[in-house]
Amino acid sequence: MTKLHWKMGLILGLLVLSIYLLYPTVEWYTKTNDERGKLELARMRPKKILTLGLDLRGGTHMLLELEADKLNKKETLNDAMSRAIEIIRNRIDQYGVGETPISRQGDRWIAVDLPGVSNAQEAENLIGKTALLEFHLENSGEGAQAAIAKAESLDGSPFDKDGNLVPEVAKLMPKGTGLYKAADNGEEGGSRVKYYVLDTTVPVTGAYLENARVETDRQFGYPNINFTFNKEGGKLFDTFTGANVGKNLAIVLDGVVHSAPVIKSRISGGSGVIEGTFTLEEARNLAIVLRAGALPAPVKIIEKRVVGPGLGEDSIRKGLGSSVIGFLLVVVFMLFYYKGGGFIADVALVLNFVILLAALSYFSATLTLPGIAGMILSLAMAIDANVLILERMREEMHLSKPVAMVIPTGYDKAWSAILDSNMTTWIAAVFLFQFGSGPVKGFAVTLTIGLLIGMFTSVFVTRAFYEFWLTSNPKELSI
């Protein structure tokens, strides 16, 4: 087998592999929106496909800020940010939104794009909930009852703007306890507001949770969250409940008491139920955040944008139209101006486009408008390389050199200019990736992959085609 056979075999193999990698993406986007939505809910979305970004599909963009002043003093900001990003990613993955771009911005900001999620409030509840699950013993002594009575008799909230108890309630609180609001309260500060006085000691937390799922209450039909501890958490819960039979155990989520049932006996199964008047959607989202774990500190949303699906469809339609027109103009110009050489350049350009899409699909890349711009720029760089090669060939032909010498000489003389232009563009892409964010990084990544593939197709592939053509011993070169 000659060297040329290896080259042609490699090109053919890459083409077949690219079509194989592209097939799931093509099959996915030929389905209707309803069909894709059902498959996403059933978590049957293929992993290795190209994902449309927020600007093409519509959805919600949020910029979150981690409240670093509420972090545990033992935890560094960098560790907390990494953990918060991972937890938010887990929550979104379990919600059914695949391949969501989540990135750190600056010291304490996290950017989240949710393509296809236009219900911003639902996304906000899912991501922004701290989900700190704790178990406290209820204090029902005389001091606690007096504090509760005082808190409920106030015209306003028993907490000041900093979250501290007002003095007239604080002086009544038993030592080692805290005042907590009940989840089924009425209006804030009204007579229906209910409070609990709980021991501040937390023997078991949600950190030991192994699973949480939604179940329906058999008596009233409300959705509840059934949770299960891991082995270590189960032992702690067993010991704790065994030592406090007959007392009330408050289940506290994010500082709010959801229920405070009486411990009738030792609970050895390592499981429990959070009861409340949840809707089915609220219970589902709460189970998701409990399974994903608690955030190291609360996050607040400092920017929120919702992009409608109509804008994305309009961008896709206009982008596809302009791309097809631009692509055809380039193809026709190359055929008209460079004839046979232009045809080979056009074939390499199509191959470049197919391999590039296949590579992006394999890496499950998210395609945005800046990403498309990066693709177009890399394709332009590839065709520009072929123009340089063809012009050098023409110069050699004017010197009346034989065809067998014109082709390798043209490639050799054009190589330095091709390498220089691609390297300078690639260096610019590296800086964009290093110092950019979000769509700018996407543009840099797409451009870098496109440049590598463009170098391969415009130099290696076209030269292999010319070498194959030379085996027929041609007398003239059509360029």
Side-chain angles (χ1 to χ4, degrees):
M1 210 169 177
T2 66
K3 190 176 179 181
L4 179 60
H5 286 136
W6 281 109
K7 288 182 179 179
M8 296 304 292
L10 175 63
I11 295 168
L12 186 61
L14 274 177
L15 178 61
V16 173
L17 178 63
S18 298
I19 293 172
Y20 171 75
L21 293 176
L22 262 179
Y23 178 74
T25 298
V26 174
E27 186 189 30
W28 178 257
Y29 286 106
T30 50
K31 296 180 185 299
T32 63
N33 289 335
D34 290 341
E35 289 174 333
R36 290 201 297 267
K38 290 177 182 175
L39 289 173
E40 283 184 332
L41 284 176
R43 300 183 186 179
M44 295 176 66
R45 186 179 188 275
K47 295 288 184 186
K48 302 288 185 183
I49 65 169
L50 200 58
T51 303
L52 296 183
L54 198 69
D55 48 1
L56 295 177
R57 189 182 174 188
T60 304
H61 166 83
M62 288 191 289
L63 188 62
L64 313 170
E65 180 178 358
L66 187 74
E67 296 184 24
D69 55 326
K70 296 182 180 177
L71 277 176
N72 188 318
K73 293 181 180 177
K74 295 180 180 178
E75 189 163 23
T76 65
L77 180 59
N78 279 336
D79 289 344
M81 286 294 290
S82 301
R83 197 152 66 87
I85 290 173
E86 191 59 33
I87 289 168
I88 290 173
R89 190 183 301 282
N90 285 340
R91 290 182 183 182
I92 294 171
D93 286 347
Q94 294 189 43
Y95 185 67
V97 183
E99 306 303 331
T100 302
I102 303 174
S103 59
R104 181 176 178 176
Q105 309 282 316
D107 287 338
R108 59 184 66 178
W109 292 353
I110 301 170
V112 181
D113 285 349
L114 297 169
V117 178
S118 56
N119 188 338
Q121 187 59 47
E122 188 177 343
E124 185 177 334
N125 292 337
L126 179 71
I127 295 173
K129 192 181 286 293
T130 309
L132 179 60
L133 180 65
E134 298 173 327
F135 297 87
H136 298 254
L137 278 180
E138 182 181 0
N139 188 316
S140 55
E142 292 183 4
Q145 295 302 319
I148 291 173
K150 185 65 179 176
E152 292 179 350
S153 67
L154 295 175
D155 292 334
S157 171
F159 300 97
D160 62 19
K161 61 180 182 180
D162 297 323
N164 300 316
L165 281 174
V166 295
E168 53 265 45
V169 177
K171 67 182 181 183
L172 299 174
M173 293 290 293
K175 188 177 181 181
T177 62
L179 189 69
Y180 292 78
K181 191 174 136 182
D184 55 351
N185 276 329
E187 297 178 1
E188 180 70 30
S191 58
R192 294 170 55 193
V193 176
K194 186 178 179 182
Y195 294 96
Y196 289 88
V197 173
L198 307 178
D199 291 350
T200 51
T201 304
V202 184
V204 187
T205 70
Y208 298 102
L209 276 186
E210 187 174 68
N211 192 17
R213 63 181 186 276
V214 177
E215 290 190 348
T216 304
D217 177 75
R218 292 182 180 176
Q219 185 175 3
F220 301 106
Y222 286 120
N224 295 328
I225 296 95
N226 190 313
F227 58 85
T228 307
F229 288 113
N230 59 21
K231 191 174 180 181
E232 185 181 359
K235 287 181 180 177
L236 288 172
F237 201 60
D238 178 278
T239 305
F240 174 68
T241 54
N244 293 283
V245 174
K247 298 180 181 177
N248 286 78
L249 175 67
I251 301 175
V252 183
L253 183 66
D254 288 343
V256 176
V257 179
H258 281 263
S259 59
V262 177
I263 304 173
K264 295 180 180 177
S265 61
R266 177 188 293 269
I267 302 175
S268 303
S271 63
V273 177
I274 301 177
E275 298 176 333
T277 54
F278 303 110
T279 65
L280 185 60
E281 195 64 23
E282 288 171 343
R284 173 177 171 258
N285 289 344
L286 184 55
I288 288 175
V289 296
L290 287 175
R291 283 199 301 268
L295 288 171
V299 293
K300 59 182 178 184
I301 298 172
I302 57 177
E303 181 187 344
K304 181 170 61 181
R305 294 200 310 269
V306 178
V307 180
L311 181 61
E313 289 175 5
D314 190 51
S315 299
I316 293 174
R317 187 172 60 255
K318 289 183 177 178
L320 281 177
S322 57
S323 298
V324 169
I325 292 172
F327 188 82
L328 289 177
L329 285 175
V330 170
V331 168
V332 171
F333 172 80
M334 293 299 289
L335 285 173
F336 174 77
Y337 195 72
Y338 291 109
K339 301 179 177 64
F343 174 75
I344 291 177
D346 287 341
V347 172
L349 186 66
V350 173
L351 190 60
N352 184 348
F353 185 61
V354 172
I355 296 176
L356 178 56
L357 285 180
L360 294 175
S361 299
Y362 177 75
F363 292 113
S364 304
T366 300
L367 192 62
T368 60
L369 284 176
I372 292 175
M375 287 176 60
I376 292 173
L377 180 55
S378 65
L379 291 173
M381 294 287 292
I383 203 70
D384 181 60
N386 281 122
V387 169
L388 287 171
I389 293 169
L390 292 169
E391 287 297 327
R392 295 296 174 269
M393 287 185 183
R394 276 184 172 176
E395 291 174 1
E396 298 303 312
M397 285 179 64
H398 291 156
L399 298 175
S400 303
K401 291 184 178 179
V403 173
M405 288 185 64
V406 166
I407 294 174
T409 308
Y411 274 92
D412 291 343
K413 288 189 174 180
W415 172 245
S416 60
I418 295 171
L419 183 64
D420 179 67
S421 60
N422 279 272
M423 283 299 292
T424 50
T425 308
W426 179 74
I427 290 171
V430 169
F431 277 92
L432 286 175
F433 183 83
Q434 181 65 31
F435 299 107
S437 63
V440 178
K441 280 193 172 183
F443 171 80
V445 170
T446 311
L447 180 59
T448 300
I449 297 174
L451 288 175
L452 292 173
I453 296 172
M455 290 271 284
F456 172 76
T457 55
S458 60
V459 179
F460 181 86
V461 172
T462 56
R463 187 161 184 168
F465 287 167
Y466 280 117
E467 289 175 357
F468 181 75
W469 177 65
L470 283 174
T471 57
S472 64
N473 197 24
K475 302 299 180 187
E476 293 184 357
L477 184 60
S478 173
I479 56 175

